[in-house]
Amino acid sequence: WMTLAWPVAEPYPPPCIALLAGLAVAETVDSVLSQGSDTPASAPLVKWPNDVLIGGAKVAGVLCETFMDRGAAFLLIGVGTNIRNELPIEIEGRRVTSLSKCGATLEPAAFIDQLCDRLTARVHAAAETVSSGALAEVDRVAIESRLAHRGERVEVMAPGVVPVVGSILGLASDGSLLVKPEDGGGPALRVSSGEMRVVPLRSGATE
């Protein structure tokens, strides 16, 4: 687990920060495992809103918050990555994996160094647009290209909202998840916070 801190003007991090950090983690894992676009089945993917998956199993998670100190705000980005952990196949019903299980042999300190460099570069490059609560289009496209479960049947659970079952269309400019409701009625829903899980197709249904 590691945490990086940056001074920021706003006291609360925009939702898109976690996705941007997730992209940096996925890119670092991709580099470490020497996997590219020619092996999409095992390429690291970003699971909205704050996880990174390899082959459908969680390898890392991101947590973002702000910390106030003497009137100054600091953005905290915490990243927990399974590097050499001895793990079961599932934890609380969710599949998990580690970099070592996927073939990585580097020392944890070496991974952290690479991740810090990539995460810092991503945050600095996106500082202007992120401070306004939006992703730069190039970043949105990059995250969307690694978006896990796109097109699959999912259930999205947002605070204060009845859970919605539908399929993931992509990401809005602010990092909100765009979901097409299964009932087919109305426009795509924009979900800015909450949880998402894959659900099986109904009996007799086809994708």
Side-chain angles (χ1 to χ4, degrees):
W1 180 268
M2 54 162 278
T3 301
L4 297 181
W6 290 270
V8 292
E10 298 296 326
Y12 301 104
C16 54
I17 279 288
L19 290 170
L20 195 63
L23 174 62
V25 176
E27 290 173 333
T28 305
V29 171
D30 208 0
S31 175
V32 165
L33 298 179
S34 299
Q35 295 177 337
S37 58
D38 57 329
T39 55
S42 53
L45 300 178
V46 177
K47 178 179 178 288
W48 185 92
N50 59 354
D51 288 339
V52 176
L53 312 179
I54 297 178
K58 180 176 177 177
V59 71
V62 176
L63 180 63
C64 300
E65 60 182 37
T66 48
F67 171 75
M68 299 297 297
D69 182 28
R70 301 175 187 177
F74 293 86
L75 169 64
L76 305 181
I77 299 180
V79 180
T81 307
N82 300 325
I83 300 178
R84 290 183 173 178
N85 311 50
E86 292 294 331
L87 298 168
I89 296 176
E90 291 187 355
I91 295 179
E92 297 181 350
R94 297 182 180 182
R95 292 175 56 210
V96 294
T97 190
S98 66
L99 296 184
S100 60
K101 283 186 177 182
C102 295
T105 59
L106 83 171
E107 294 293 325
F111 174 79
I112 291 173
D113 285 345
Q114 293 184 40
L115 177 56
C116 284
D117 290 344
R118 197 176 294 267
L119 189 55
T120 299
R122 278 286 181 191
V123 171
H124 283 176
E128 185 174 342
T129 55
V130 166
S131 64
S132 65
L135 291 164
E137 180 61 9
V138 65
D139 291 329
R140 188 195 67 79
V141 170
I143 297 169
E144 198 171 73
S145 71
R146 289 183 181 269
L147 191 60
H149 308 308
R150 189 174 181 183
E152 297 182 42
R153 187 171 187 257
V154 300
E155 181 181 46
V156 180
M157 295 150 284
V161 179
V162 175
V164 174
V165 175
S167 58
I168 297 176
L169 298 177
L171 295 173
S173 61
D174 64 351
S176 295
L177 192 67
L178 299 177
V179 180
K180 179 182 179 182
E182 188 171 68
D183 59 19
L189 298 177
R190 295 171 62 117
V191 184
S192 60
S193 64
E195 297 183 4
M196 180 266 291
R197 68 183 184 93
V198 176
V199 293
L201 290 171
R202 291 176 298 185
S203 178
T206 58
E207 294 188 51

